[in-house]
Amino acid sequence: MLRTTSSTTRRSFLKTTAAASLTMASVAARADEKPKSPVVDTHMHVWAADLKKFPFARKMKAPEIPATVELLNAEMDQFGIDYCVLVQVIYHGWDNSYVAECIKRFPDRFRGHGLIDPEDPNVADKLDYWMREHQFAGMRFSPVYYRGKDDWLNARSRDPLWEKAAELGAIFNMFIASEQLPKLDEMIARHPTVPVVIDHLANTDFTVADPSVEFGKLLALAKYPQVYCKVSELNIRSPSKKFPYKDTWPWVERMYDSFGPDRLMWGTGFPGATRAQDRRPPLTDELALIREEIPFFSDDDRNKIMGINAAKLWKFGNA
């Protein structure tokens, strides 16, 4: 009996020791694991299927496939996209109600940027309304549609808009042409606490003989630490239109060298089947472009551009 008891005790001891070792190894392994970096699409358009409830602002034919929040959620779940910044689409004009509903339904997953009329003398009040009443993160302005009539961009009469933005903690998103950037530069200098995000490499035309003069106007904004750029719509900016758009890489690299990896962000545009409907690349290509193709991004850079930077700016998750 003593022998059996001793043997049993020894086996029990060995089992306990082995289990403890495995537990400690497991804890150590988990400690060495890096937490998953967030993936944030900073440029996502959605529009309603129910056009009676959320009518289009203009007489235009509705796309065959609506870019609903349900379609977007399904794609995010499929491809591991954690968060999206919803940018009001032109179809709904100045009525941001559909985006407001989306962020109300899924406040942990989305942030919203609406559209407000920059020529409206009450534009600052409109910003206040959408941010206070509907929890928008900021607004998108589209000077690109106002070529030749964009004096509002740096007008002193628009200082109250930027002052309201500073008060509310708004982020401004700019869909802007490269030749308009000097006017924006003036406004940013006057209002240094308002974060500004530039879309699509400032729509620079890379088909001209020397794009460097126009592109230099974007690079000049790197002197402002509150200015960010999206690495987005390379398929449109690319002269060849061929994935992975290598003819844009020298310009992306200049932007990277000027702004650094902490102020670049990833964005695509349309969810699910609406990508092909709008002749955009599939999400697999959009993901691979940053994660695998562009060679001068380090692994840390990729994580920042794919989501860490955006999570900090728009306060997603625990960022």
Side-chain angles (χ1 to χ4, degrees):
M1 291 292 293
L2 289 174
R3 189 180 302 113
T4 301
T5 301
S6 176
S7 177
T8 300
T9 301
R10 185 165 56 255
R11 285 198 299 272
S12 298
F13 173 76
L14 291 173
K15 287 180 180 179
T16 301
T17 303
S21 297
L22 286 171
T23 299
M24 292 175 66
S26 177
V27 170
R30 287 197 298 272
D32 289 338
E33 290 178 359
K34 291 184 178 180
K36 175 185 175 294
S37 295
V39 180
V40 184
D41 191 328
T42 64
H43 195 86
M44 183 52 61
H45 295 306
V46 291
W47 61 89
D50 184 350
L51 298 187
K52 290 184 178 179
K53 184 177 180 181
F54 302 103
F56 279 6
R58 305 177 183 187
K59 293 182 179 179
M60 58 174 63
K61 184 179 178 181
E64 182 178 347
I65 305 169
T68 63
V69 72
E70 289 78 18
L71 182 66
L72 174 56
N73 273 322
E75 184 178 58
M76 291 172 68
D77 291 341
Q78 180 183 357
F79 289 94
I81 310 300
D82 299 300
Y83 311 105
C84 282
V85 179
L86 304 182
V87 179
Q88 167 81 337
V89 72
I90 194 172
Y91 301 148
H92 291 296
W94 311 129
D95 184 357
N96 303 296
S97 297
Y98 185 64
V99 170
E101 179 174 276
C102 293
I103 59 179
K104 182 179 180 181
R105 288 175 61 192
F106 306 100
D108 295 331
R109 199 164 215 192
F110 301 127
R111 299 289 182 267
H113 277 245
L115 295 178
I116 49 178
D117 183 356
E119 296 181 310
D120 186 336
N122 298 314
V123 64
D125 293 336
K126 299 295 175 61
L127 174 67
D128 188 274
Y129 168 75
W130 288 107
M131 290 193 67
R132 291 190 193 274
E133 299 298 324
H134 296 285
Q135 289 72 56
F136 276 68
M139 288 292 143
R140 188 195 203 200
F141 294 98
S142 301
V144 71
Y145 297 132
Y146 293 81
R147 284 182 166 108
K149 49 180 180 178
D150 60 6
D151 289 344
W152 56 266
L153 191 53
N154 61 340
R156 287 287 179 181
S157 62
R158 292 299 173 267
D159 282 339
L161 168 66
W162 287 70
E163 290 162 3
K164 178 61 70 173
E167 174 191 332
L168 296 172
I171 301 164
F172 280 169
N173 181 194
M174 292 289 174
F175 184 32
I176 191 168
S178 56
E179 67 268 19
Q180 297 171 311
L181 290 171
K183 288 184 177 179
L184 179 61
D185 191 320
E186 290 181 34
M187 213 58 163
I188 291 170
R190 298 210 299 263
H191 303 278
T193 64
V194 179
V196 175
V197 182
I198 307 295
D199 286 341
H200 319 323
L201 284 68
N203 294 284
T204 305
D205 183 358
F206 297 127
T207 66
V208 301
D210 183 10
S212 58
V213 173
E214 286 301 311
F215 198 64
K217 296 172 184 176
L218 173 61
L219 303 185
L221 298 184
K223 62 181 176 285
Y224 302 112
Q226 74 275 25
V227 176
Y228 301 78
C229 294
K230 293 179 188 174
V231 184
S232 56
E233 290 197 357
L234 298 191
N235 60 303
I236 294 176
R237 304 270 63 81
S238 166
S240 71
K241 311 299 183 188
K242 294 180 180 178
F243 181 84
Y245 321 117
K246 291 184 178 181
D247 45 8
T248 67
W249 290 3
W251 306 103
V252 174
E253 187 168 20
R254 291 189 189 188
M255 190 167 70
Y256 169 80
D257 289 340
S258 295
F259 286 87
D262 295 320
R263 290 194 282 152
L264 300 184
M265 299 169 177
W266 172 74
T268 64
F270 297 84
T274 67
R275 295 179 189 274
Q277 176 178 261
D278 202 65
R279 299 181 181 179
R280 301 301 177 104
L283 184 53
T284 50
D285 283 358
E286 295 277 22
L287 289 164
L289 183 62
I290 306 298
R291 287 175 169 170
E292 302 167 18
E293 296 291 347
I294 297 178
F296 45 86
F297 292 156
S298 70
D299 287 343
D300 284 343
D301 294 340
R302 298 180 201 279
N303 288 334
K304 289 177 179 180
I305 295 166
M306 290 296 297
I308 291 174
N309 297 338
K312 289 179 180 177
L313 181 60
W314 278 280
K315 299 180 174 60
F316 283 116
N318 298 318

